[in-house]
Amino acid sequence: MPKWQELVDFSPVAAFINIVDVLLVWFVFYKLITIIKGTKAVQLLKGIFVLIIARILTEFFGLNTLQWMMDQVLPFGFLAIIIIFQPELRRALEQIGRGRLFARTMMQEEEERDRLIEAFVKSVSYMAKRRIGALISIEKETGLSEYIETGTGMDSMITSELLINIFIPNTPLHDGAVIVQRNRIAAAGCYLPLSESPFISKELGTRHRAALGISEVTDAVTIIVSEETGAVSLTANGDIDRNLDMEEFEARLRRVWFGLTPEKKETSIWKWRWRKNG
């Protein structure tokens, strides 16, 4: 048997072990990236990759002096990594000790969902009580880039304070819609298409027509606060639910945005059309 066949084991058990080995290495790298995501360590990691690439290029192009300098620096790289990434490594070890390393991503997603819902409920409640008109459209699967381009780009973290401040009357961005992508405010002062449905009640204003319009052409979820009455409404899939109290608003927003519970299909086009408290 040739030596190379002796070194390589083609048995099913060995193949399975190799696959598990590769998957574990991939998982470790994935968790490391997850841990350092959003921290200053990301920029430092980029710097390390730049140094490694520079070292390869110096050898390829025969830059002897620069190669010698890199050779003096790189041997201390492992120690430098431990020092530079000390906070992230400490956090990872703490999570391993608590048994939370594998559940971290799921917990982060749940915490982020709760934070977003809380920000919307707090801001909408504040604006409804003071009759501050608002229009907020949340992107789901269908992209809203063409509507984002009509407004002022922001790319800002979602907070109740920022949402309230945007819609304060007589401020530059209050007239128009805020568009949310994932967990960021993408833009404000955006123009949405108005619904041309003949079944819409005449008492509905431009904000409600715009919210229905965007829900008819995309799967976006849109929140409306009436400037005249302070009533809170929500549109999705061409339907509108009006006069929601804060508990109803929070429950409905969780369903249509995150799909946490099955969405019960209602013939709401007739419900909002004939509802007395419009």
Side-chain angles (χ1 to χ4, degrees):
M1 179 182 294
K3 287 188 176 181
W4 67 270
Q5 290 186 355
E6 295 178 0
L7 295 174
V8 180
D9 190 350
F10 291 101
S11 66
V13 175
F16 176 76
I17 293 174
N18 290 332
I19 292 172
V20 172
D21 187 23
V22 172
L23 290 176
L24 286 174
V25 171
W26 173 85
F27 181 75
V28 169
F29 276 103
Y30 169 75
K31 297 307 293 184
L32 287 174
I33 293 172
T34 303
I35 290 170
I36 67 174
K37 183 180 180 181
T39 67
K40 294 180 180 179
V42 174
Q43 301 301 323
L44 296 173
L45 190 61
K46 290 179 181 178
I48 292 173
F49 281 123
V50 169
L51 289 176
I52 293 173
I53 293 172
R55 173 63 181 82
I56 296 172
L57 291 177
T58 56
E59 186 172 358
F60 181 79
F61 290 107
L63 305 175
N64 297 327
T65 305
L66 188 57
Q67 180 179 343
W68 177 84
M69 294 176 63
M70 298 290 293
D71 290 339
Q72 305 309 307
V73 173
L74 291 179
F76 300 97
F78 183 74
L79 179 60
I81 289 173
I82 295 177
I83 296 172
I84 292 171
F85 293 102
Q86 185 269 337
E88 287 72 24
L89 292 171
R90 179 178 177 179
R91 186 163 68 249
L93 291 173
E94 287 176 351
Q95 290 172 5
I96 292 173
R98 295 171 186 167
R100 294 178 54 193
L101 186 62
F102 293 93
R104 185 174 185 268
T105 303
M106 185 68 70
M107 291 176 63
Q108 279 186 327
E109 289 180 357
E110 292 177 359
E111 289 172 359
E112 182 65 7
R113 287 175 182 172
D114 291 339
R115 187 191 70 80
L116 293 172
I117 294 295
E118 182 181 356
F120 278 107
V121 170
K122 185 177 178 181
S123 60
V124 168
S125 176
Y126 180 96
M127 292 186 286
K129 290 177 181 178
R130 293 159 180 79
R131 296 189 179 182
I132 299 173
L135 182 62
I136 306 169
S137 193
I138 303 169
E139 180 185 88
K140 293 181 69 180
E141 296 298 325
T142 307
L144 301 179
S145 298
E146 61 179 297
Y147 306 110
I148 291 172
E149 292 173 357
T150 64
T152 302
M154 295 186 65
D155 190 25
S156 304
M157 179 179 178
I158 296 173
T159 65
S160 58
E161 292 81 5
L162 180 56
L163 288 171
I164 292 169
N165 194 64
I166 289 173
F167 291 108
I168 293 295
N170 301 320
T171 54
L173 299 177
H174 86 283
D175 190 16
V178 162
I179 296 183
V180 172
Q181 284 184 317
R182 294 178 292 277
N183 61 344
R184 308 282 292 180
I185 297 176
C190 302
Y191 294 98
L192 303 183
L194 299 181
S195 175
E196 297 180 358
S197 172
F199 299 106
I200 298 176
S201 173
K202 294 184 182 299
E203 65 188 21
L204 294 179
T206 304
R207 285 192 179 91
H208 292 81
R209 288 179 177 273
L212 279 168
I214 195 69
S215 73
E216 290 169 354
V217 297
T218 72
D219 60 353
V221 178
T222 305
I223 303 162
I224 315 101
V225 179
S226 172
E227 190 174 2
E228 289 76 20
T229 65
V232 177
S233 305
L234 190 147
T235 66
N237 302 317
D239 294 337
I240 183 170
D241 290 282
R242 299 174 61 192
N243 298 327
L244 300 172
D245 60 34
M246 284 302 101
E247 289 185 2
E248 292 173 332
F249 168 71
E250 180 178 353
R252 179 56 60 91
L253 183 61
R254 284 183 182 275
R255 286 197 294 268
V256 296
W257 189 2
F258 299 118
L260 299 182
T261 56
E263 177 67 10
K264 184 179 179 181
K265 186 67 177 177
E266 302 175 5
T267 55
S268 57
I269 189 168
W270 299 106
K271 177 181 67 175
W272 59 258
R273 190 181 172 191
W274 294 105
R275 201 165 173 174
K276 290 183 179 180
N277 298 327

